[in-house]
Amino acid sequence: MSTGTEPALRVADLHVRYGGSTAVRDVSFHIDGGEVFGLVGESGSGKSSVCAALMRLLPPGGSLRATAIEFGGRDLSRASERDMRAIRGKGIALVPQKPMTSLSPTTPVGRQLRWYLGERLDSAQTQQMLISIGLRAVLDRPGDLPSRFSGGQLQRLLIAIAALTHRPALLLADEPTTTLDATVQAQVLRLLLAVRAEVGSAMLYVTHDLAVIAQVADRIGVMYGGRLVEVAPVAELFAAPRHPYTRALIAAMPSAWIEGRPLRPIPGSAAGANRTDGCPFAPRCPHADTICQETMPTAVMAGAAMVRCHHAEVTV
Ligand SMILES: Nc1ncnc2c1ncn2[C@@H]1O[C@H](COP(=O)(O)OP(=O)(O)OP(=O)(O)O)[C@@H](O)[C@H]1O
Ligand code: SF4
Ligand SMILES: [Mg+2]
Protein backbone atom coordinates (compact mmCIF):
# COMPACT_ATOMS: atom_id res chain seq x y z
CA MET A 1 0.00 0.00 0.00
CA SER A 2 1.07 3.54 -0.63
CA THR A 3 2.77 5.12 2.36
CA GLY A 4 4.34 8.31 1.06
CA THR A 5 2.91 11.65 0.05
CA GLU A 6 5.40 12.84 -2.58
CA PRO A 7 5.49 10.74 -5.73
CA ALA A 8 8.66 8.63 -5.91
CA LEU A 9 8.50 9.00 -9.68
CA ARG A 10 6.56 11.22 -12.06
CA VAL A 11 6.73 10.56 -15.79
CA ALA A 12 5.26 13.14 -18.17
CA ASP A 13 4.81 12.59 -21.91
CA LEU A 14 7.44 9.91 -22.39
CA HIS A 15 8.18 8.88 -25.98
CA VAL A 16 10.66 6.16 -27.02
CA ARG A 17 11.85 5.61 -30.59
CA TYR A 18 13.98 2.93 -32.22
CA GLY A 19 15.29 4.44 -35.45
CA GLY A 20 12.23 5.44 -37.45
CA SER A 21 9.61 3.62 -35.37
CA THR A 22 7.95 4.81 -32.18
CA ALA A 23 7.61 2.18 -29.41
CA VAL A 24 6.25 4.39 -26.57
CA ARG A 25 4.00 7.40 -27.09
CA ASP A 26 2.84 10.08 -24.73
CA VAL A 27 3.10 7.96 -21.56
CA SER A 28 2.41 9.79 -18.28
CA PHE A 29 2.06 8.27 -14.81
CA HIS A 30 3.35 8.63 -11.29
CA ILE A 31 4.29 6.18 -8.54
CA ASP A 32 3.82 7.24 -4.92
CA GLY A 33 6.42 6.50 -2.26
CA GLY A 34 6.07 2.85 -1.18
CA GLU A 35 3.49 2.14 -3.89
CA VAL A 36 3.50 -0.82 -6.31
CA PHE A 37 2.52 0.30 -9.81
CA GLY A 38 1.83 -2.51 -12.26
CA LEU A 39 2.39 -2.11 -15.98
CA VAL A 40 0.55 -4.67 -18.09
CA GLY A 41 0.03 -5.19 -21.81
CA GLU A 42 0.58 -7.60 -24.68
CA SER A 43 4.02 -8.44 -26.03
CA GLY A 44 5.43 -5.47 -27.91
CA SER A 45 3.21 -2.89 -26.18
CA GLY A 46 6.26 -1.00 -24.89
CA LYS A 47 6.56 -2.08 -21.24
CA SER A 48 10.28 -2.89 -21.30
CA SER A 49 10.97 0.24 -23.31
CA VAL A 50 9.39 2.31 -20.51
CA CYS A 51 11.61 0.55 -17.94
CA ALA A 52 14.76 0.97 -20.01
CA ALA A 53 13.93 4.64 -20.61
CA LEU A 54 13.56 5.29 -16.86
CA MET A 55 17.04 3.84 -16.29
CA ARG A 56 18.27 5.64 -19.43
CA LEU A 57 19.50 2.24 -20.62
CA LEU A 58 17.84 2.01 -24.03
CA PRO A 59 19.63 -0.29 -26.49
CA PRO A 60 21.72 1.22 -29.31
CA GLY A 61 19.43 3.02 -31.75
CA GLY A 62 16.89 3.77 -29.01
CA SER A 63 16.14 7.36 -27.97
CA LEU A 64 13.71 9.02 -25.60
CA ARG A 65 12.11 12.37 -25.09
CA ALA A 66 9.84 13.46 -22.26
CA THR A 67 8.43 16.62 -20.75
CA ALA A 68 9.89 15.27 -17.49
CA ILE A 69 10.95 12.11 -15.66
CA GLU A 70 11.06 13.41 -12.09
CA PHE A 71 12.90 11.28 -9.56
CA GLY A 72 14.57 12.41 -6.33
CA GLY A 73 14.33 16.09 -7.26
CA ARG A 74 15.93 15.53 -10.68
CA ASP A 75 14.65 15.30 -14.24
CA LEU A 76 16.13 12.03 -15.46
CA SER A 77 15.28 12.83 -19.06
CA ARG A 78 17.88 15.60 -18.90
CA ALA A 79 20.35 14.20 -16.34
CA SER A 80 23.96 13.69 -17.45
CA GLU A 81 25.26 10.15 -17.94
CA ARG A 82 27.46 10.72 -14.90
CA ASP A 83 24.43 11.59 -12.75
CA MET A 84 22.59 8.55 -14.12
CA ARG A 85 25.47 6.30 -13.10
CA ALA A 86 25.07 7.58 -9.54
CA ILE A 87 21.30 6.97 -9.62
CA ARG A 88 21.34 3.48 -11.19
CA GLY A 89 21.41 0.77 -8.55
CA LYS A 90 21.37 3.29 -5.69
CA GLY A 91 18.24 5.38 -6.28
CA ILE A 92 16.58 3.12 -8.84
CA ALA A 93 17.45 -0.59 -9.00
CA LEU A 94 16.45 -3.07 -11.66
CA VAL A 95 15.44 -6.68 -10.98
CA PRO A 96 16.27 -8.24 -14.34
CA GLN A 97 14.26 -10.80 -16.29
CA LYS A 98 17.04 -13.32 -16.94
CA PRO A 99 19.20 -14.02 -13.88
CA MET A 100 21.90 -15.92 -15.77
CA THR A 101 22.69 -12.97 -18.01
CA SER A 102 22.96 -10.58 -15.05
CA LEU A 103 25.58 -12.46 -13.03
CA SER A 104 29.17 -13.17 -14.02
CA PRO A 105 29.22 -16.89 -14.99
CA THR A 106 32.91 -17.25 -14.08
CA THR A 107 32.89 -15.62 -10.62
CA PRO A 108 31.81 -17.53 -7.47
CA VAL A 109 28.46 -16.33 -6.10
CA GLY A 110 29.95 -15.46 -2.71
CA ARG A 111 32.41 -13.05 -4.32
CA GLN A 112 29.65 -11.47 -6.42
CA LEU A 113 27.49 -10.97 -3.33
CA ARG A 114 30.44 -9.33 -1.58
CA TRP A 115 30.93 -6.90 -4.51
CA TYR A 116 27.51 -5.52 -3.71
CA LEU A 117 27.05 -6.00 0.03
CA GLY A 118 30.70 -5.56 1.16
CA GLU A 119 31.24 -6.02 4.90
CA ARG A 120 27.49 -6.13 5.47
CA LEU A 121 27.65 -9.70 4.15
CA ASP A 122 29.35 -10.70 7.43
CA SER A 123 26.67 -9.24 9.70
CA ALA A 124 24.30 -11.65 11.44
CA GLN A 125 21.35 -9.53 10.27
CA THR A 126 22.27 -9.82 6.58
CA GLN A 127 22.97 -13.54 6.88
CA GLN A 128 19.64 -14.10 8.61
CA MET A 129 17.91 -12.13 5.82
CA LEU A 130 19.59 -14.25 3.14
CA ILE A 131 18.61 -17.46 4.94
CA SER A 132 15.03 -16.25 5.37
CA ILE A 133 14.74 -15.71 1.61
CA GLY A 134 15.99 -19.21 0.82
CA LEU A 135 19.65 -18.40 0.13
CA ARG A 136 21.31 -20.60 2.76
CA ALA A 137 22.84 -22.54 -0.15
CA VAL A 138 24.73 -19.42 -1.25
CA LEU A 139 26.13 -18.95 2.26
CA ASP A 140 27.02 -22.66 2.49
CA ARG A 141 28.64 -22.83 -0.98
CA PRO A 142 30.07 -19.34 -1.62
CA GLY A 143 32.82 -20.76 -3.84
CA ASP A 144 30.36 -22.25 -6.35
CA LEU A 145 29.71 -20.62 -9.74
CA PRO A 146 26.17 -19.41 -10.66
CA SER A 147 25.71 -22.47 -12.90
CA ARG A 148 25.62 -24.63 -9.73
CA PHE A 149 22.43 -22.90 -8.51
CA SER A 150 18.84 -23.05 -9.76
CA GLY A 151 17.12 -20.25 -11.71
CA GLY A 152 14.93 -19.53 -8.67
CA GLN A 153 17.94 -19.26 -6.35
CA LEU A 154 19.73 -16.93 -8.75
CA GLN A 155 16.65 -14.74 -9.15
CA ARG A 156 16.36 -14.53 -5.34
CA LEU A 157 20.02 -13.54 -5.23
CA LEU A 158 19.44 -10.74 -7.73
CA ILE A 159 16.40 -9.49 -5.79
CA ALA A 160 18.55 -9.42 -2.64
CA ILE A 161 21.28 -7.52 -4.50
CA ALA A 162 18.83 -5.03 -6.08
CA ALA A 163 16.94 -4.31 -2.87
CA LEU A 164 19.53 -4.68 -0.11
CA THR A 165 22.65 -3.15 -1.65
CA HIS A 166 21.45 0.46 -1.52
CA ARG A 167 17.83 0.19 -0.33
CA PRO A 168 16.66 2.09 -3.44
CA ALA A 169 13.65 4.42 -3.42
CA LEU A 170 12.39 2.72 -6.59
CA LEU A 171 12.63 -0.90 -7.76
CA LEU A 172 11.97 -1.72 -11.41
CA ALA A 173 10.94 -5.35 -11.92
CA ASP A 174 10.57 -6.23 -15.62
CA GLU A 175 8.87 -9.65 -15.84
CA PRO A 176 11.10 -10.91 -13.00
CA THR A 177 9.54 -14.37 -12.81
CA THR A 178 8.72 -15.31 -16.41
CA THR A 179 11.77 -17.53 -16.93
CA LEU A 180 10.92 -19.59 -13.83
CA ASP A 181 8.46 -22.46 -13.47
CA ALA A 182 5.06 -21.76 -11.92
CA THR A 183 5.77 -22.88 -8.32
CA VAL A 184 9.07 -21.02 -8.16
CA GLN A 185 7.41 -17.97 -9.77
CA ALA A 186 5.00 -17.71 -6.82
CA GLN A 187 7.83 -18.07 -4.28
CA VAL A 188 9.98 -15.45 -5.99
CA LEU A 189 7.03 -13.07 -6.28
CA ARG A 190 6.30 -13.42 -2.54
CA LEU A 191 9.95 -12.82 -1.81
CA LEU A 192 10.08 -9.73 -4.00
CA LEU A 193 7.06 -8.27 -2.22
CA ALA A 194 8.49 -9.10 1.22
CA VAL A 195 11.87 -7.53 0.45
CA ARG A 196 10.19 -4.48 -1.11
CA ALA A 197 8.05 -4.02 2.01
CA GLU A 198 11.10 -4.40 4.25
CA VAL A 199 13.08 -1.79 2.31
CA GLY A 200 10.03 0.47 1.78
CA SER A 201 10.77 1.04 -1.91
CA ALA A 202 8.21 2.02 -4.49
CA MET A 203 8.05 -0.52 -7.30
CA LEU A 204 7.22 -0.60 -11.01
CA TYR A 205 6.20 -4.18 -11.74
CA VAL A 206 6.01 -5.12 -15.43
CA THR A 207 4.15 -8.19 -16.66
CA HIS A 208 1.89 -9.43 -19.44
CA ASP A 209 -0.03 -11.42 -16.82
CA LEU A 210 -3.03 -9.63 -15.31
CA ALA A 211 -3.50 -12.41 -12.72
CA VAL A 212 -0.01 -11.73 -11.35
CA ILE A 213 -0.44 -8.00 -11.27
CA ALA A 214 -3.76 -8.32 -9.42
CA GLN A 215 -1.85 -9.87 -6.49
CA VAL A 216 0.94 -7.34 -6.52
CA ALA A 217 -0.11 -3.83 -7.46
CA ASP A 218 -1.80 -0.87 -5.76
CA ARG A 219 -2.51 0.73 -9.14
CA ILE A 220 -2.29 -0.65 -12.67
CA GLY A 221 -1.42 0.95 -15.99
CA VAL A 222 -2.61 -0.88 -19.11
CA MET A 223 -0.49 -0.38 -22.26
CA TYR A 224 -1.61 -0.88 -25.83
CA GLY A 225 0.46 0.01 -28.87
CA GLY A 226 2.95 2.05 -26.85
CA ARG A 227 0.25 4.08 -25.06
CA LEU A 228 -1.18 3.92 -21.57
CA VAL A 229 -4.88 3.37 -22.32
CA GLU A 230 -6.06 3.03 -18.70
CA VAL A 231 -4.60 3.73 -15.25
CA ALA A 232 -6.67 2.85 -12.16
CA PRO A 233 -6.43 1.55 -8.59
CA VAL A 234 -6.38 -2.25 -8.74
CA ALA A 235 -9.80 -2.79 -7.12
CA GLU A 236 -11.44 -0.25 -9.43
CA LEU A 237 -9.73 -1.67 -12.52
CA PHE A 238 -11.17 -5.12 -11.87
CA ALA A 239 -14.57 -3.96 -10.57
CA ALA A 240 -15.20 -1.36 -13.28
CA PRO A 241 -12.73 -1.60 -16.16
CA ARG A 242 -13.34 1.37 -18.49
CA HIS A 243 -11.27 0.65 -21.59
CA PRO A 244 -12.52 -2.12 -23.93
CA TYR A 245 -8.95 -3.50 -24.10
CA THR A 246 -8.80 -3.75 -20.27
CA ARG A 247 -12.18 -5.49 -20.30
CA ALA A 248 -10.95 -7.91 -22.96
CA LEU A 249 -7.79 -8.67 -20.94
CA ILE A 250 -9.86 -9.39 -17.82
CA ALA A 251 -12.32 -11.56 -19.78
CA ALA A 252 -9.39 -13.54 -21.18
CA MET A 253 -7.91 -14.25 -17.72
CA PRO A 254 -7.85 -17.95 -16.78
CA SER A 255 -9.53 -17.05 -13.44
CA ALA A 256 -12.52 -15.65 -15.36
CA TRP A 257 -12.79 -19.03 -17.00
CA ILE A 258 -12.43 -20.92 -13.69
CA GLU A 259 -15.33 -18.92 -12.26
CA GLY A 260 -17.52 -20.38 -14.98
CA ARG A 261 -17.46 -17.58 -17.53
CA PRO A 262 -16.42 -18.47 -21.06
CA LEU A 263 -12.76 -17.76 -21.85
CA ARG A 264 -12.79 -15.05 -24.47
CA PRO A 265 -9.56 -14.63 -26.39
CA ILE A 266 -9.02 -11.06 -27.57
CA PRO A 267 -10.03 -11.06 -31.24
CA GLY A 268 -7.57 -9.91 -33.90
CA SER A 269 -3.91 -9.06 -33.43
CA ALA A 270 -2.06 -5.97 -32.27
CA ALA A 271 -1.19 -5.15 -35.90
CA GLY A 272 -2.22 -1.54 -36.51
CA ALA A 273 -1.61 -0.60 -32.87
CA ASN A 274 0.76 2.14 -34.07
CA ARG A 275 -1.86 4.05 -36.05
CA THR A 276 -2.24 7.69 -35.12
CA ASP A 277 -5.23 8.71 -37.28
CA GLY A 278 -7.81 7.01 -35.04
CA CYS A 279 -8.04 4.74 -31.99
CA PRO A 280 -5.32 2.04 -32.29
CA PHE A 281 -7.66 -0.52 -30.69
CA ALA A 282 -10.50 0.14 -33.19
CA PRO A 283 -9.75 -2.92 -35.41
CA ARG A 284 -10.32 -5.19 -32.38
CA CYS A 285 -12.97 -3.21 -30.51
CA PRO A 286 -16.64 -4.23 -30.39
CA HIS A 287 -17.66 -0.59 -29.73
CA ALA A 288 -15.70 1.08 -32.54
CA ASP A 289 -17.71 3.66 -34.48
CA THR A 290 -16.94 6.53 -36.84
CA ILE A 291 -15.31 8.82 -34.28
CA CYS A 292 -13.08 5.92 -33.15
CA GLN A 293 -11.93 5.35 -36.74
CA GLU A 294 -11.17 9.02 -37.36
CA THR A 295 -9.98 10.56 -34.09
CA MET A 296 -7.33 9.51 -31.58
CA PRO A 297 -8.95 9.44 -28.11
CA THR A 298 -7.36 11.74 -25.53
CA ALA A 299 -6.86 10.89 -21.85
CA VAL A 300 -9.89 11.66 -19.67
CA MET A 301 -10.64 11.00 -16.00
CA ALA A 302 -13.53 8.64 -15.22
CA GLY A 303 -13.92 8.08 -11.48
CA ALA A 304 -10.41 7.35 -10.17
CA ALA A 305 -9.34 6.05 -13.57
CA MET A 306 -7.51 7.71 -16.46
CA VAL A 307 -8.78 6.27 -19.70
CA ARG A 308 -8.18 6.86 -23.41
CA CYS A 309 -11.44 5.92 -25.06
CA HIS A 310 -14.24 7.86 -26.75
CA HIS A 311 -16.79 5.56 -25.11
CA ALA A 312 -15.29 4.88 -21.70
CA GLU A 313 -18.73 4.60 -20.11
CA VAL A 314 -19.98 1.89 -22.51
CA THR A 315 -20.77 -1.28 -20.57
CA VAL A 316 -20.18 -4.78 -21.93
N1 LIG B 1 16.28 -2.67 -29.64
C1 LIG B 1 15.19 -2.48 -30.36
N2 LIG B 1 15.27 -2.07 -31.66
C2 LIG B 1 14.16 -1.87 -32.41
N3 LIG B 1 12.91 -2.04 -31.95
C3 LIG B 1 12.75 -2.44 -30.67
C4 LIG B 1 13.88 -2.69 -29.81
N4 LIG B 1 13.42 -3.07 -28.61
C5 LIG B 1 12.06 -3.07 -28.70
N5 LIG B 1 11.68 -2.69 -29.94
C6 LIG B 1 10.29 -2.55 -30.42
O1 LIG B 1 9.61 -1.68 -29.55
C7 LIG B 1 8.28 -2.14 -29.32
C8 LIG B 1 8.08 -2.30 -27.81
O2 LIG B 1 8.95 -3.33 -27.35
P1 LIG B 1 9.09 -3.67 -25.80
O3 LIG B 1 10.19 -4.66 -25.68
O4 LIG B 1 9.19 -2.41 -25.04
O5 LIG B 1 7.67 -4.37 -25.52
P2 LIG B 1 7.19 -5.22 -24.25
O6 LIG B 1 5.83 -4.71 -23.91
O7 LIG B 1 8.22 -5.17 -23.19
O8 LIG B 1 7.07 -6.67 -24.86
P3 LIG B 1 7.30 -8.09 -24.14
O9 LIG B 1 6.05 -8.37 -23.34
O10 LIG B 1 7.44 -9.04 -25.30
O11 LIG B 1 8.53 -8.01 -23.31
C9 LIG B 1 8.14 -3.44 -30.10
O12 LIG B 1 7.50 -3.14 -31.32
C10 LIG B 1 9.56 -3.87 -30.32
O13 LIG B 1 9.66 -4.60 -31.53
S1 SF4 C 1 -12.06 4.77 -28.64
FE1 SF4 C 1 -13.56 3.49 -29.73
S2 SF4 C 1 -12.34 1.89 -30.74
FE2 SF4 C 1 -11.05 2.84 -29.19
S3 SF4 C 1 -11.30 1.55 -27.40
FE3 SF4 C 1 -12.78 3.22 -27.21
S4 SF4 C 1 -14.69 2.44 -28.11
FE4 SF4 C 1 -13.02 1.07 -28.78
MG1 LIG D 1 9.32 -6.68 -22.24
Side-chain angles (χ1 to χ4, degrees), residues 247 287 311-316:
R247 291 201 286 262
H287 307 293
H311 305 296
E313 302 303 329
V314 175
T315 52
V316 280

Coordinates of all heavy atoms in Angstrom, one line a residue, residues 247 287 311-316:
R247 N -11.1 -4.5 -20.5 CA -12.2 -5.5 -20.3 C -11.9 -6.8 -21.0 O -12.1 -7.9 -20.5 CB -13.5 -4.9 -20.8 CG -14.0 -3.7 -19.9 CD -15.5 -3.5 -20.1 NE -15.8 -2.9 -21.3 CZ -16.0 -1.6 -21.5 NH1 -15.9 -0.8 -20.4 NH2 -16.4 -1.1 -22.6
H287 N -16.9 -1.9 -29.8 CA -17.7 -0.6 -29.7 C -17.2 0.4 -30.7 O -17.7 1.6 -30.7 CB -17.5 0.0 -28.3 CG -17.9 -1.0 -27.2 ND1 -19.2 -1.5 -27.1 CD2 -17.1 -1.6 -26.3 CE1 -19.2 -2.4 -26.1 NE2 -17.9 -2.5 -25.6
H311 N -15.5 6.1 -25.7 CA -16.8 5.6 -25.1 C -16.5 4.8 -23.8 O -16.9 3.7 -23.6 CB -17.4 4.6 -26.1 CG -17.7 5.2 -27.5 ND1 -18.5 6.3 -27.6 CD2 -17.2 5.0 -28.7 CE1 -18.5 6.6 -28.9 NE2 -17.7 5.9 -29.6
A312 N -15.8 5.5 -22.9 CA -15.3 4.9 -21.7 C -16.4 4.4 -20.8 O -16.3 3.5 -20.0 CB -14.4 5.8 -20.9
E313 N -17.6 5.0 -21.0 CA -18.7 4.6 -20.1 C -19.6 3.5 -20.7 O -20.5 3.0 -20.1 CB -19.6 5.8 -19.9 CG -18.9 7.0 -19.2 CD -18.3 6.7 -17.9 OE1 -18.8 5.8 -17.2 OE2 -17.2 7.2 -17.6
V314 N -19.2 3.0 -21.9 CA -20.0 1.9 -22.5 C -19.8 0.6 -21.7 O -18.7 0.3 -21.3 CB -19.5 1.6 -24.0 CG1 -20.2 0.4 -24.5 CG2 -19.7 2.8 -24.8
T315 N -20.9 0.0 -21.3 CA -20.8 -1.3 -20.6 C -20.8 -2.5 -21.5 O -21.5 -2.4 -22.5 CB -21.9 -1.4 -19.5 OG1 -23.1 -1.2 -20.2 CG2 -21.7 -0.4 -18.4
V316 N -20.2 -3.6 -21.1 CA -20.2 -4.8 -21.9 C -21.4 -5.7 -21.5 O -21.8 -5.6 -20.4 CB -18.9 -5.6 -21.8 CG1 -17.8 -5.0 -22.7 CG2 -18.4 -5.7 -20.4

